[in-house]
Amino acid sequence: MTQTAIEIAPNSALLVIDVQKGFDDASFWGPRNNPAAEDNIAALMDAWQAAGRPVVLVRHASVQPGSVLAADHPGHAFKDLVEKRRAGTLLVTKTVNSAFYGTPDLADWLKAQGIGQLVVVGIQTNMCVETTARMAGNLGYEVLVPLDATHTFDLAGPAGLSLTADELATATAVSLHGGGFARVITTADLLEA
């Protein structure tokens, strides 16, 4: 089965979701996967900025009591890799999983810029990255998700069920790609395109 070559639009927007210091708190989140995620996100930000393509930074301002992502908590700040690449980016602040429910309105901004292709990276793979990618697909955007530029954490569910971070990332990849919401690829695929 041959895969179609990846074509990056000149105005393809890179959405960098929730790359915040609060996610470094292992005592709060538990075990994570993909230690290369931050390096891959940085490489994509560098490539997008060097090409003059738009970069959108999305930051979660949790309204949950005690959250390490609350606006008044040090964990709300972007990780250094994002902060040092922040110049010239659009900042969207949200309190829910989807970047399309934030301020300023992401869909309005993308429409005003004539952007039809999105590359979605960040934290957490199965939460805000997946939710934003699904919504973008539903809204008609061409969505690319380099899975190795995301990471997540082990998660407990109902009735004693739980999945590891890697299992959750695999489930996200299958749901997004198999469900037609997005094309799941690698950072290298994008950097070579």
Side-chain angles (χ1 to χ4, degrees), residues 18-104:
D18 302 351
V19 183
Q20 293 166 253
K21 291 181 177 181
F23 283 116
D24 290 336
D25 186 347
S27 66
F28 188 87
W29 299 101
R32 69 169 271 188
N33 71 333
N34 192 18
E38 285 85 353
D39 287 344
N40 290 331
I41 292 166
L44 289 167
M45 288 184 76
D46 288 345
W48 249 247
Q49 290 177 322
R53 291 186 176 107
V55 175
V56 178
L57 303 182
V58 180
R59 181 161 52 194
H60 195 83
S62 179
V63 293
Q64 299 298 318
S67 173
V68 295
L69 300 178
D72 62 352
H73 190 282
H76 179 72
F78 286 121
K79 292 187 183 196
D80 293 344
L81 76 105
V82 170
E83 194 60 48
K84 70 191 248 185
R85 292 169 174 84
R86 192 169 169 181
T89 63
L90 173 70
L91 174 63
V92 173
T93 302
K94 63 181 180 58
T95 59
V96 295
N97 296 102
S98 176
F100 286 95
Y101 289 113
T103 306

Side-chain angles (χ1 to χ4, degrees), residues 30-181:
R32 69 169 271 188
N33 71 333
N34 192 18
E38 285 85 353
D39 287 344
N40 290 331
I41 292 166
L44 289 167
M45 288 184 76
D46 288 345
W48 249 247
Q49 290 177 322
R53 291 186 176 107
V55 175
V56 178
L57 303 182
V58 180
R59 181 161 52 194
H60 195 83
S62 179
V63 293
Q64 299 298 318
S67 173
V68 295
L69 300 178
D72 62 352
H73 190 282
H76 179 72
F78 286 121
K79 292 187 183 196
D80 293 344
L81 76 105
V82 170
E83 194 60 48
K84 70 191 248 185
R85 292 169 174 84
R86 192 169 169 181
T89 63
L90 173 70
L91 174 63
V92 173
T93 302
K94 63 181 180 58
T95 59
V96 295
N97 296 102
S98 176
F100 286 95
Y101 289 113
T103 306
D105 186 288
L106 180 59
D108 286 350
W109 185 84
L110 293 167
K111 185 176 181 181
Q113 306 299 314
I115 294 170
Q117 183 185 66
L118 306 177
V119 175
V120 185
V121 303
I123 309 168
Q124 300 179 57
T125 311
N126 57 312
M127 298 287 184
C128 298
V129 171
E130 181 174 347
T131 302
T132 298
R134 282 175 178 260
M135 274 199 74
N138 283 171
L139 291 169
Y141 293 97
E142 178 190 359
V143 184
L144 302 171
V145 178
L147 200 69
D148 61 354
T150 74
H151 81 76
T152 193
F153 303 91
D154 293 2
L155 189 63
L161 294 172
S162 65
L163 292 174
T164 67
D166 281 335
E167 289 169 334
L168 289 164
T170 298
T172 290
V174 171
S175 294
L176 289 179
H177 199 94
F181 295 101

